[in-house]
């Protein structure tokens, strides 16, 4: 079966390898540039010892490459659509499954070998892309501490491997159930995107109970490192939390905007709110207001990566098991 | 309905075998036996259940009812069973981009017994290129390649579902010659479905006739032919004949009555001339008998005159 699988999918393998090589070359060149740029600015900063504005203002990478890196978000979906969905569906569609199933191999063995290799290839491919993106993003991660946020969390570390395994397994199952490539492809894309959004926005924040810290409104110090902010806002003198961003809704905080006591409203005067922010903060502070932030600390980045990868790997295994049962029981 | 349960060494034996697809009956109460070493012709109108029967025998479909025994066991997902069956499905599925050599290689990796040399030799003798993608071969070449691959498994039972349907007469003749040669050499059992009765008559010695999802006739062809007779006589009442024998088909014109009967005894009305029945006549007679009322009037032309 291994020989058979290789002969059937070797063109896909060549194409995948070529695309990976091109991507690697691009990220290596731009990544090395960014790293040296970052390190030279960092060196200049520590030499100057003064407040290092140039480091905060530093923008790394050119927009097309940044865009390409963001685009790696769809790599698992593409693998599911182009490798997973046709794997069984195309054979059922063209009848070649009947050729394969009347050789001396059981359908379960046939599925196991094909699925095994394609999942392995998808994991390797997605893992390679993710490793490159993670390395490429390291100066940016060190500078901006944003890699725990949705969008960046999803393309770095080990989660892309979990997504890829799940997407390919989903494609294989959809193809087996609907027996045709094109609908299987659409189902894979739709179901994968829906589940990813559902988990990223509604399940992931709760893997571990978030931490809420009360802060002073006048200091700018937030949690250390690459934390993931889930909600922030003000605490009024009665201890009532008034969150100011959307996620707070389901985290259980009220969602009205900050109510400002009338004394402090005058601070705005005719001025722009941005200019008045400092004055407003000290006014609110003086009237007993404080700030709060609800977040997942930076130390939980890898536990979260592990939990999310685990969820998708378990789901992928379940989908493959269902596919095997369907193929065994159903008429060929 | 005539069931055949007469074989000493049956390769195929079914009892009351039925298959329904979402409430539609594809095969109903099929009881057949195919003895070892026979080439069985599986005939019947479109939708009679031929493909369903072959798929049940090969284990590609699961029965809704009844029993099926093939080579001493139930058709199943088991390498040893699969290795002993050669199945050539309708439409001859091959991998379009695989060459003959690729298919031979695939077979070698997927089967415990694999006679690659025989495939190469067969293809060479038929001038079929080994290095050309199967999708670019002609229909006849594809059928020959598929047959050669099926034979290379060295199966004990060969199930062929309309393998010659898409072939021109010459390619058909070559295909059947290849098949007959292989059968003579290896002594394997074959069930071959086709609409081309003349082709089947040349190479088959056993018949399974399906119509309206039921087995109408099954058995050794020579025996079946000997059991049937055509009576040609004047237009007259045939109740006595119908009582003594089994009437399969009656064609009545203003002047003449032609009856196809299965003999129930020696007594034949002297007013009728008797003739031996031909294979094609027998097959068409039973297919006509099982036809729906909408088309059965064709066999009783002029009855109302």
């Amino acid at each position: 079966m291994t020989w058979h699988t290789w002969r059937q999918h070797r063109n896909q393998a060549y194409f995948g390898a070529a695309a990976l090589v091109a991507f690697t070359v691009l990220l290596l060149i731009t990544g090395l540039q960014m790293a040296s740029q970052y390190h030279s600015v960092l060196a200049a900063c520590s030499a100057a010892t003064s407040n290092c504005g140039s480091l905060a203002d530093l923008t790394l990478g050119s927009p097309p490459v940044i865009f390409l890196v963001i685009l790696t978000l769809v790599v698992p979906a593409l693998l599911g659509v182009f490798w997973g969905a046709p794997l069984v569906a195309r054979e059922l569609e063209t009848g070649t499954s009947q050729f394969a199933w009347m050789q001396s191999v059981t359908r379960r063995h046939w599925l196991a070998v094909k699925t095994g290799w394609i999942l392995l290839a998808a994991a390797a491919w997605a893992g390679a892309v993710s490793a490159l993106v993670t390395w490429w993003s390291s100066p940016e991660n060190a500078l901006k501490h944003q890699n725990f946020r949705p969008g960046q969390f999803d393309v770095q570390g080990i989660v892309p491997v979990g997504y890829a395994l799940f997407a390919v397994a989903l494609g294989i199952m959809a193809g087996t159930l609907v027996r045709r490539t094109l609908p299987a492809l659409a189902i894979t894309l739709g179901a994968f995107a829906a589940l990813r959004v559902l988990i990223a926005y509604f399940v992931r924040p709760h893997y571990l109970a978030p931490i809420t810290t009360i802060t002073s409104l006048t200091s700018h110090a937030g949690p250390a490192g690459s934390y993931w902010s889930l909600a922030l806002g003000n605490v009024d003198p009665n201890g009532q939390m008034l969150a100011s961003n959307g996620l707070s809704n389901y985290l259980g905080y009220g969602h009205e905007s900050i109510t400002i006591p009338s004394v402090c409203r005058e601070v705005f005067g005719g001025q722009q709110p941005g200019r008045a922010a400092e004055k407003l903060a000290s006014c609110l502070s003086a009237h007993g207001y404080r700030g709060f932030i609800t977040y997942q600390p930076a130390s939980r980045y890898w536990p979260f990566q592990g939990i999310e990868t685990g969820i998708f790997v378990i789901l992928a295994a379940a989908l493959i098991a269902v596919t095997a049962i369907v193929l065994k029981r159903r008429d060929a | 309905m005539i069931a055949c349960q007469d074989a000493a060494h049956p390769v195929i034996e079914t009892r009351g075998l039925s298959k329904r697809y979402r409430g539609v009956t594809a095969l109903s109460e099929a009881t057949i036996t195919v003895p070892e070493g026979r080439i069985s012709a599986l005939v019947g109108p479109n939708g009679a259940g031929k493909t369903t029967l072959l798929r049940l025998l090969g284990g590609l479909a699961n029965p809704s009812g009844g029993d099926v025994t093939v080579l001493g066991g139930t058709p199943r997902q088991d390498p040893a069973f699969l290795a002993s069956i050669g199945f050539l499905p309708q439409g001859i599925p091959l991998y379009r981009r695989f060459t003959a050599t690729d298919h031979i290689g695939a077979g070698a990796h997927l089967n415990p017994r694999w006679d690659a040399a025989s495939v190469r030799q067969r293809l060479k003798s038929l001038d079929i290129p080994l290095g050309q993608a199967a999708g670019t071969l002609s229909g006849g070449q594809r059928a020959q390649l598929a047959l050669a691959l099926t034979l290379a498994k060295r199966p004990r039972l060969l199930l062929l579902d309309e393998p010659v349907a898409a072939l021109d007469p010459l390619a058909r003749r070559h295909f059947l010659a290849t098949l007959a040669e292989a059968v003579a050499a290896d002594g394997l059992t074959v069930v071959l479905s086709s609409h081309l009765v003349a082709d089947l008559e040349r190479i088959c010695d056993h018949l399974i006739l399906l119509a309206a999802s039921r087995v109408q006739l099954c058995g050794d062809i020579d025996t079946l032919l000997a059991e049937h007779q055509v009576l040609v006589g004047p237009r007259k009442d045939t109740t006595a004949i119908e009582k003594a024998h089994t009437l399969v088909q009656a064609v009545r014109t203003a002047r003449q009555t032609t009856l196809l009967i299965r003999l129930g005894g020696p007594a034949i009305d002297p007013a009728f001339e008797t003739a031996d029945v031909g294979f094609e006549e027998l097959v068409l007679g039973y297919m006509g008998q099982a036809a729906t009322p909408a088309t059965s009037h064709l066999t009783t032309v002029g009855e109302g005159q």
Side-chain angles (χ1 to χ4, degrees):
Chain A
M1 265 318 295
T2 298
W3 185 94
H4 189 67
T5 308
W6 169 247
R7 174 61 192 84
Q8 250 187 305
H9 299 289
R10 64 185 182 193
N11 286 340
Q12 274 168 294
Y14 294 147
F15 181 78
L20 190 59
V21 167
F23 185 72
T24 306
V25 169
L26 183 68
L27 282 210
L28 275 180
I29 293 170
T30 57
L32 288 171
Q33 276 174 354
M34 282 163 51
S36 77
Q37 192 187 357
Y38 172 71
H39 285 297
S40 59
V41 172
L42 199 64
C45 269
S46 47
T49 64
S50 62
N51 183 17
C52 202
S54 57
L55 197 57
D57 296 338
L58 183 64
T59 43
L60 291 166
S62 60
V65 181
I66 292 170
F67 183 63
L68 186 70
V69 166
I70 294 168
L71 264 190
T72 62
L73 205 58
V74 301
V75 160
L78 291 179
L79 292 173
V81 161
F82 291 114
W83 289 5
L87 192 76
V88 175
R90 182 149 297 152
E91 298 232 18
L92 293 173
E93 222 167 27
T94 57
T96 50
S97 55
Q98 300 195 58
F99 173 86
W101 295 349
M102 285 316 294
Q103 308 303 315
S104 311
V105 287
T106 62
R107 276 171 246 166
R108 191 160 74 172
H109 180 74
W110 176 85
L111 180 74
V113 176
K114 267 171 92 84
T115 302
W117 282 115
I118 224 84
L119 285 175
L120 195 67
W125 214 90
V129 168
S130 171
L132 276 165
V133 169
T134 308
W135 168 80
W136 185 90
S137 309
S138 51
E140 180 89 4
N141 292 345
L143 199 58
K144 305 232 165 101
H145 298 301
Q146 291 180 348
N147 50 322
F148 206 158
R149 292 190 185 177
Q152 306 218 23
F153 181 87
D154 304 7
V155 295
Q156 297 183 25
I158 57 171
V159 286
V161 175
Y163 300 155
L165 288 172
F166 171 75
V168 171
L170 179 65
I172 292 170
M173 190 186 77
T176 305
L177 291 182
V178 302
R179 291 163 172 266
R180 282 182 302 137
T181 307
L182 218 57
L185 205 138
I187 290 169
T188 305
L189 203 57
F192 177 72
L195 192 79
R196 278 275 285 107
V197 168
L198 193 77
I199 288 193
Y201 288 95
F202 299 102
V203 183
R204 191 191 295 162
H206 303 290
Y207 289 163
L208 295 169
I211 292 169
T212 298
T213 331
I214 307 295
T215 58
S216 157
L217 280 174
T218 47
S219 93
H220 294 285
S226 304
Y227 65 91
W228 177 21
S229 165
L230 299 175
L232 38 86
N234 291 354
V235 187
D236 74 10
N238 306 322
Q240 182 75 32
M241 283 181 166
L242 305 159
S244 60
N245 67 354
L247 268 176
S248 56
N249 215 342
Y250 73 98
L251 284 171
Y253 308 113
H255 59 98
E256 313 104 79
S257 57
I258 307 167
T259 50
I260 299 168
S262 52
V263 224
C264 295
R265 247 174 246 164
E266 290 163 16
V267 174
F268 276 117
Q271 299 176 54
Q272 295 290 318
R275 299 238 179 110
E278 291 288 320
K279 281 187 187 172
L280 179 62
S282 47
C283 175
L284 284 171
S285 211
H287 284 84
Y289 281 79
R290 281 166 304 155
F292 80 89
I293 179 164
T294 300
Y295 67 103
Q296 297 290 356
S299 62
R300 290 183 182 173
Y301 178 81
W302 284 108
F304 269 52
Q305 284 263 336
I307 291 166
E308 181 134 336
T309 307
I311 287 173
F312 278 92
V313 168
I314 288 166
L315 287 174
L319 295 182
I320 294 299
V322 169
T323 307
I325 291 167
V326 168
L327 266 191
K328 184 167 184 274
R329 300 234 175 119
R330 193 175 66 183
D331 289 346
Chain B
M1 189 186 108
I2 299 152
C4 50
Q5 290 165 292
D6 50 353
H9 302 287
V11 167
I12 296 169
E13 206 170 14
T14 74
R15 217 160 350 110
L17 187 61
S18 301
K19 179 67 182 175
R20 284 179 297 279
Y21 291 105
R22 294 199 177 104
V24 179
T25 300
L27 190 69
S28 177
E29 298 286 319
T31 300
I32 60 164
T33 304
V34 180
E36 193 173 4
R38 293 307 188 88
I39 304 187
S40 184
L42 178 57
V43 294
N46 289 324
K50 302 190 294 294
T51 297
T52 301
L53 177 59
L54 288 172
R55 283 163 54 78
L56 289 167
L57 296 176
L60 283 173
N62 305 310
S64 313
D67 297 319
V68 52
T69 307
V70 173
L71 295 166
T74 309
R76 63 206 173 274
Q77 286 291 302
D78 162 60
F81 175 78
L82 291 168
S84 62
I85 305 274
F87 190 100
L88 189 49
Q90 205 170 3
I92 307 164
L94 292 170
Y95 291 93
R96 290 183 54 78
R97 295 195 184 161
F98 278 29
T99 64
T101 304
D102 291 331
H103 279 101
I104 295 169
H109 284 90
L110 299 177
N111 295 286
R113 296 184 299 274
W114 186 253
D115 189 353
S118 78
V119 188
R120 288 203 197 89
Q121 195 198 326
R122 276 205 180 89
L123 297 182
K124 201 180 164 196
S125 71
L126 292 159
D127 277 335
I128 296 172
L130 283 165
Q132 203 175 314
T136 65
L137 295 173
S138 74
Q141 290 175 323
R142 283 164 49 82
Q144 285 282 8
L145 170 57
L147 177 65
L149 292 168
T150 310
L151 289 171
K153 275 178 81 179
R154 299 222 157 279
R156 289 175 58 202
L157 171 65
L158 203 53
L159 304 168
L160 309 173
D161 194 0
E162 300 201 19
V164 296
L167 306 189
D168 67 61
L170 191 64
R172 221 156 68 209
R173 175 161 295 192
H174 282 149
F175 182 94
L176 294 172
T178 310
L179 177 63
E181 257 171 54
V183 171
D186 298 345
L188 72 171
T189 310
V190 181
V191 180
L192 167 66
S193 86
S194 177
H195 287 301
L196 299 151
V197 178
D199 284 339
L200 293 173
E201 188 178 5
R202 266 215 309 280
I203 65 162
C204 297
D205 54 10
H206 186 273
L207 173 70
I208 301 163
L209 197 150
L210 290 178
S213 307
R214 289 180 174 275
V215 177
Q216 308 291 336
L217 204 55
C218 170
D220 177 76
I221 290 177
D222 290 338
T223 311
L224 289 173
L225 291 177
E227 282 173 3
H228 290 79
Q229 207 129 46
V230 176
L231 306 182
V232 182
R235 181 176 169 81
K236 61 174 278 192
D237 182 37
T238 56
T239 318
I241 296 174
E242 283 173 46
K243 209 171 266 177
H245 312 284
T246 312
L247 180 66
V248 177
Q249 189 190 34
V251 180
R252 298 170 217 271
T253 63
R255 264 164 286 169
Q256 187 175 292
T257 305
T258 308
L259 304 175
L260 173 62
I261 56 161
R262 187 178 181 111
L263 292 168
I268 299 277
D269 189 328
F272 284 83
E273 277 179 40
T274 66
D276 288 342
V277 65
F279 181 69
E280 186 158 3
E281 217 173 347
L282 182 73
V283 167
L284 292 176
Y286 272 91
M287 273 163 64
Q289 182 201 39
T292 57
T295 54
S296 61
H297 72 277
L298 293 172
T299 63
T300 55
V301 183
E303 197 169 24
Q305 288 176 9

